[in-house]
Amino acid sequence: MDWNEIMTVAMRQSAVDCSCREEDFRRNTSVVVESKFSEQASRYMTLPHICALFSYGNNIVASCRRDLMADVEAYIQGTEGIYRCFDTPGIYELNQILQKCGAQVSWMHGCYLPDPVQIFCADLSCPYETRLLHPKDFEGLYLPQWRHALCSERKELDMLGVGAYDQGRLIGLAACSADCPDMWQIGIDVLPEYRRNGVASALTNQLAREVFDCGKVPFYAAAWANIRSVKNALRSGFRPAWVALTAS
């Protein structure tokens, strides 16, 4: 797959998550739609949305409750610049709208997609032994130190992992969950004493290749202020693709 094909897969999933059309993300004007439930939505989302804002950079697609649509449309049309809708003081203004239904902004992430050239050409060797792991290998690993790689609330979605071992001890773990029909999300954890020596990027990159081999598109999400995670995404061969904000 090339970058454009990967972006199409992601936009198709975002269209399901937002109850809109794929082409809505390619428009030059913003779109507001009523959020609806879908069994094909990303498993980490609760639908229908109270309010969700998605942007791939061209515009904003807002998916929200019907009674909020007019106010949310006025918000995204009135805030100067797309990025302003995802930043303070815009967030304070959006929270005032959400207060009408007892909600507030609760989740804001940047999402990253793999650049095939970077993923498969990157020279990222791990200084420790690595092993490919499957669901049966995850038993006993649902522990706090691996909480970003594995999800104890949705164990059935954890599909594949790559672990790094120092003399038989697991010191780093990248794992992916089948959060979407065609896309698997990668999470990574490295024990503190083993960080800053290339373990995270090597494991993330290796797992991304494995996900491609399974016929799925890997993706990576990071909170905007989590600089270490963002740097890891970039080093591993991922590129910024879209941003998402949701309320609860």
Side-chain angles (χ1 to χ4, degrees):
M1 301 181 74
D2 61 25
W3 174 254
N4 289 332
E5 291 171 322
I6 290 170
M7 282 287 284
T8 295
V9 171
M11 286 185 178
R12 185 167 62 233
Q13 181 60 50
S14 292
V16 174
D17 294 341
C18 290
S19 310
C20 68
R21 297 174 296 180
E22 177 189 324
E23 57 265 31
D24 287 338
F25 297 103
R26 304 183 189 275
R27 298 181 185 277
N28 292 322
T29 56
S30 294
V31 178
V32 181
V33 297
E34 181 182 359
S35 180
K36 298 178 181 178
F37 174 78
S38 172
E39 292 184 351
Q40 299 301 309
S42 299
R43 298 292 292 274
Y44 54 85
M45 289 188 170
T46 301
L47 265 63
H49 293 296
I50 296 173
C51 179
L53 306 183
F54 279 55
S55 178
Y56 280 80
N58 293 324
N59 67 349
I60 293 174
V61 172
S63 180
C64 57
R65 287 173 29 161
R66 179 181 297 182
D67 59 320
L68 294 177
M69 289 176 63
D71 286 339
V72 171
E73 182 172 12
Y75 169 70
I76 63 177
Q77 298 294 347
T79 306
E80 181 182 355
I82 292 172
Y83 77 94
R84 294 287 188 185
C85 292
F86 295 87
D87 202 359
T88 51
I91 297 299
Y92 297 132
E93 182 181 342
L94 181 58
N95 272 336
Q96 290 178 351
I97 295 172
L98 296 173
Q99 283 178 0
K100 295 179 180 180
C101 56
Q104 62 182 359
V105 173
S106 60
W107 188 85
M108 296 188 294
H109 276 65
C111 298
Y112 301 77
L113 290 172
D115 181 330
V117 175
Q118 296 298 321
I119 290 290
F120 289 102
C121 294
D123 182 15
L124 296 171
S125 58
C126 183
Y128 301 95
E129 173 198 0
T130 62
R131 303 175 193 171
L132 184 63
L133 305 175
H134 297 88
K136 61 181 177 59
D137 302 310
F138 298 149
E139 297 177 11
L141 295 182
Y142 289 93
L143 302 169
Q145 60 265 43
W146 312 122
R147 67 186 182 279
H148 297 110
L150 299 172
C151 181
S152 58
E153 290 80 17
R154 298 189 297 271
K155 294 180 181 180
E156 71 280 2
L157 300 181
D158 291 330
M159 296 287 109
L160 205 62
V162 178
Y165 294 82
D166 183 6
Q167 298 182 357
R169 178 194 180 202
L170 181 64
I171 58 92
L173 175 63
C176 59
S177 57
D179 287 339
C180 317
D182 298 317
M183 301 170 66
W184 289 359
Q185 181 172 190
I186 292 179
I188 177 73
D189 284 298
V190 177
L191 297 182
E193 62 268 33
Y194 289 90
R195 294 173 185 169
R196 303 181 67 84
N197 62 0
V199 174
S201 56
L203 295 183
T204 303
N205 178 271
Q206 185 177 338
L207 182 56
R209 299 184 190 202
E210 297 288 346
V211 173
F212 272 125
D213 287 345
C214 292
K216 305 295 183 180
V217 172
F219 74 104
Y220 188 107
W224 299 341
N226 192 343
I227 301 301
R228 288 192 298 188
S229 185
V230 171
K231 287 182 176 179
N232 178 60
L234 300 177
R235 282 195 299 265
S236 304
F238 286 78
R239 290 166 53 182
W242 80 97
V243 292
L245 172 158
T246 59
S248 63

